Amino acid sequence: MEKQMTHESEAKWQFKIDDREVQTTDPILSGREICVLGEHEPPSGFSLVMIVGKGTQVIGLDEKVDLREFSGIEFRGFEGDRLYRMTLDEREVVWGADTVSAKDLRLIGQVPDDMELILDSDRDRLIENDGIVRLKREGVERVYSRKSTITICYDGDEREVPRGKYSLAELIALVGVPTGYTLSYVNKAGALTPFKDGQKLKVVEGMKFFPCP
């Protein structure tokens, strides 16, 4: 038993705080101790947020965190005690600043690079990879992730294409329409409609296209 305790006391437990690697020999730390290790002093002047389970959790100064229960654990320290709330893929996120970067959103929600981040509370605005979301005290911003590509059907075959609006020439090149042919598509009413030159068409999931002379 004594051997096991000695071995554990010598172990190096790692976590990140504000993107900086920290090591400790104690796997159970209070929020106060984490702040000190992260050079946030005095701890009473900071709010501590733990990034965990595709969300965040506020850690009190005297609250204990067992590092053995988590893998790749990260913390953020924020000066002051103001907290902001938002949702990311329907999970609550609590943050200590009035802005959150796309990089941090991807980290918090474990959102891969091939997915887009969309600000639902701003008319489905795309959040660029170097973008930020401004948080408000009086409201809750809503962000969700989605695939950056959609599946359309061209002449009976499924094709995966990037989301967006396309000109006739762009879509012809993308799906490989034979020379001398143009395109028609099935509109919302279910009617086959010619894709006109000069038109910009927003492609949506499951949209059907056909070559036509």
Side-chain angles (χ1 to χ4, degrees):
M1 182 69 170
E2 187 179 336
K3 250 185 194 179
Q4 186 177 354
M5 288 176 65
T6 303
H7 175 74
E8 185 167 296
S9 68
E10 293 173 352
K12 297 288 186 183
W13 305 94
Q14 289 188 341
F15 63 89
K16 276 187 176 182
I17 181 165
D18 301 331
D19 290 326
R20 188 168 64 84
E21 290 277 1
V22 174
Q23 287 190 339
T24 176
T25 56
D26 189 349
I28 302 176
L29 299 172
S30 68
R32 189 183 308 275
E33 291 167 327
I34 293 168
C35 280
V36 171
L37 287 169
E39 300 178 1
H40 293 314
E41 299 188 73
S44 58
F46 291 83
S47 298
L48 186 66
V49 170
M50 179 170 67
I51 298 171
V52 62
K54 295 188 177 182
T56 61
Q57 180 181 332
V58 179
I59 304 298
L61 290 181
D62 297 317
E63 189 174 344
K64 297 289 187 179
V65 177
D66 191 337
L67 302 177
R68 296 169 297 188
E69 295 180 1
F70 306 97
S71 174
I73 190 168
E74 297 207 23
F75 297 90
R76 291 286 190 276
F78 300 97
E79 195 167 358
D81 58 2
R82 295 189 69 178
L83 295 173
Y84 299 81
R85 282 174 167 76
M86 61 172 293
T87 61
L88 174 56
D89 286 334
E90 293 302 313
R91 291 175 181 265
E92 184 181 49
V93 173
V94 182
W95 204 239
D98 61 0
T99 61
V100 56
S101 68
K103 179 184 174 183
D104 278 331
L105 287 171
R106 288 188 180 278
L107 172 66
I108 294 165
Q110 300 173 29
V111 179
D113 290 340
D114 62 351
M115 301 280 281
E116 294 178 335
L117 289 169
I118 304 297
L119 185 54
D120 174 55
S121 46
D122 187 13
R123 295 177 293 181
D124 285 351
R125 175 171 66 83
L126 175 68
I127 304 168
E128 302 291 347
N129 286 333
D130 59 352
I132 61 169
V133 173
R134 297 194 178 278
L135 306 178
K136 305 169 188 172
R137 291 279 290 182
E138 66 276 8
V140 176
E141 300 292 0
R142 300 181 305 277
V143 175
Y144 66 91
S145 60
R146 70 181 184 190
K147 283 176 59 180
S148 58
T149 59
I150 57 173
T151 302
I152 63 172
C153 185
Y154 168 67
D155 203 20
D157 293 329
E158 288 188 347
R159 306 287 179 90
E160 196 163 299
V161 301
R163 292 178 185 271
K165 288 185 176 182
Y166 292 90
S167 67
L168 176 60
E170 288 169 339
L171 203 55
I172 281 176
L174 192 63
V175 300
V177 178
T179 303
Y181 281 73
T182 183
L183 276 174
S184 292
Y185 63 95
V186 178
N187 65 22
K188 289 181 181 179
L192 193 62
T193 306
F195 194 158
K196 296 176 183 177
D197 200 10
Q199 178 185 6
K200 275 277 189 177
L201 185 67
K202 182 179 179 180
V203 295
V204 297
E205 185 74 29
M207 203 166 186
K208 295 180 180 178
F209 294 87
F210 298 92
C212 56

